[in-house]
Every structure is written in structure tokens, then in C-alpha cells.
């Protein structure tokens, strides 16, 4: 099953961090180092998330994605799982999501006031 690597800029470290997205039929994992956000498939119900949230995991690296980001990761996985898109398009859609997250991160305020909190 596909593993997709995303490069997401971390203001905490001053460089891109690699996030691995593993797409499986029964689950999806978003991995950054020792941290994992996992969605498990449930028939006739929404997937169940465990471990970190996407927002929490990225926030640990001073990345503050839009609130909808976790659902967007999930949407790509569900579309791939259902055959709506293939692995190549899943990669492209996740890269587009990473580009958006990077745009938001790079545009956040950088005054001393905000750096003290975010």
C-alpha cells in the first residue's frame, strides 16, 4: 500500500519535517518521528481516530494547520480506499494539502508577541 512523504515547514526547527502518510485498506497513519495519528476504518460509520490529532502532532512542531486539515487527510484516504482516486492522485492531493499548510505556516505573524506563544 502507498506511503506518501510530505515536507512540511516547522518554525520550531527552522526546516521542513517529513510526515509519512501510510494508506491501508483498514487504516491510515500519519507519522512524524515517534508520533502517529491513526484513523481506523469502520463499516457504516466514520473512521475512528486514535493517537495524536493532526493539529496536536503538527502543533508540537509549531505548525498550526487549518482546523479542517485532519478531515482533508481523511477525505483523501477514503477516496483512495473507495477507488475514486489512485495512489498517484492521492499523492498529488496530499502534496496540495501540504502546500496549503506550508502557506499558512509561512504567513503566520512573526512579531515577538506572537513568537512567544506560537
Amino acid at each position: 500500500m502507498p506511503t506518501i512523504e510530505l515536507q512540511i515547514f516547522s518554525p520550531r526547527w527552522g526546516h521542513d519535517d517529513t510526515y509519512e502518510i501510510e494508506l491501508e485498506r483498514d487504516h491510515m497513519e500519519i507519522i512524524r518521528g515517534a508520533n502517529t495519528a491513526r484513523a481506523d476504518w469502520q463499516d457504516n460509520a466514520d473512521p475512528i481516530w486514535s493517537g495524536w490529532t493532526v493539529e496536536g502532532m503538527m502543533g508540537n512542531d509549531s505548525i498550526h494547520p487549518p482546523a479542517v486539515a485532519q478531515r482533508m487527510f481523511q477525505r483523501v484516504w477514503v477516496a483512495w480506499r473507495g477507488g475514486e482516486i489512485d495512489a498517484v492522485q492521492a499523492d498529488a492531493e496530499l502534496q496540495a494539502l501540504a502546500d496549503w499548510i506550508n502557506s499558512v505556516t509561512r504567513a503566520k505573524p512573526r512579531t515577538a508577541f506572537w513568537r512567544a506563544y506560537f
Side-chain angles (χ1 to χ4, degrees):
M1 298 294 139
T3 298
I4 299 164
E5 289 190 356
L6 304 178
Q7 299 300 310
I8 300 180
F9 177 71
S10 168
R12 180 176 185 185
W13 307 115
H15 59 75
D16 289 349
D17 286 337
T18 300
Y19 283 75
E20 292 182 353
I21 317 305
E22 295 180 356
L23 304 177
E24 301 283 345
R25 297 266 318 134
D26 65 339
H27 72 276
M28 171 184 60
E29 289 185 339
I30 302 167
I31 304 162
R32 164 72 182 105
N35 302 328
T36 301
R38 180 180 170 117
D40 287 295
W41 184 256
Q42 302 294 307
D43 287 331
N44 301 315
D46 290 335
I48 295 176
W49 284 86
S50 61
W52 287 75
T53 63
V54 170
E55 185 175 345
M57 184 168 35
M58 290 185 178
N60 191 51
D61 291 319
S62 297
I63 302 163
H64 301 287
V68 71
Q70 184 164 302
R71 288 186 307 174
M72 293 175 78
F73 279 103
Q74 179 177 307
R75 174 67 185 113
V76 171
W77 172 51
V78 170
W80 169 82
R81 188 184 183 284
E84 183 180 334
I85 61 175
D86 62 14
V88 172
Q89 188 175 358
D91 185 299
E93 300 306 335
L94 290 171
Q95 297 300 334
L97 177 54
D99 289 346
W100 185 39
I101 293 168
N102 283 329
S103 294
V104 169
T105 300
R106 291 183 190 282
K108 76 180 188 177
R110 301 212 184 279
T111 64
F113 175 83
W114 289 114
R115 279 194 311 267
Y117 295 99
F118 300 100

